[in-house]
Amino acid sequence: VQLQASGGGLVQPGGSLTLSCVASGSFYNIVDMAWYRQAPGKERELVADIAVGGGITSYSGGVKGRFTISRDSAKNAVYLQMNSLKPEDTAVYYCNAGVVVSTPRDYQYLKIWGQGTQVTVSS
């Protein structure tokens, strides 16, 4: 199972970006998807997550009201619409997915990480 993230870049404060992440490979289903970020010198933190089936979302306090996570189950994709970006949003953003894979004996729930995509907010 692989996650391919895209959409990062350089944007001015107050601007917008949309990140995309698509899952590919062999899996039974995707249970949840999320975006994390890691700024230089800081630990990786959860930004937003979404339950693929029911669409229930949650956000960190620092992005609530500015970021929106959404999913397209048919495309095995998750998106992060980021508005009103601030310099403190600068970080490498990582896609994460909880997937169920089948094995010869049973099913297993795995957390998969994608490669990061750089978001820089600067004037």
Side-chain angles (χ1 to χ4, degrees):
V1 182
Q2 292 184 328
L3 298 176
Q4 182 67 46
S6 61
L10 173 64
V11 64
Q12 292 187 343
S16 298
L17 277 176
T18 300
L19 305 182
S20 302
C21 177
V22 179
S24 62
S26 179
F27 50 86
Y28 181 72
N29 71 325
I30 302 175
V31 178
D32 53 89
M33 301 187 83
W35 288 97
Y36 288 73
R37 67 185 180 187
Q38 187 166 20
K42 295 187 177 182
E43 293 186 353
R44 190 173 297 187
E45 63 172 354
L46 176 65
V47 175
D49 60 17
I50 185 166
V52 172
I56 297 174
T57 60
S58 65
Y59 299 89
S60 70
V63 307
K64 193 174 294 185
R66 299 188 297 123
F67 291 10
T68 301
I69 189 170
S70 61
R71 91 289 191 205
D72 186 331
S73 299
K75 296 181 179 179
N76 294 322
V78 65
Y79 308 97
L80 187 68
Q81 174 68 44
M82 304 184 294
N83 299 325
S84 303
L85 282 161
K86 305 175 181 179
E88 51 264 43
D89 294 318
T90 295
V92 178
Y93 284 69
Y94 295 91
C95 177
N96 177 275
V99 302
V100 176
V101 298
S102 62
T103 72
R105 298 182 60 184
D106 55 16
Y107 294 93
Q108 293 185 359
Y109 174 79
L110 303 176
K111 296 290 281 185
I112 307 297
W113 289 97
Q115 93 290 359
T117 183
Q118 177 70 47
V119 172
T120 302
V121 184
S122 175
S123 56

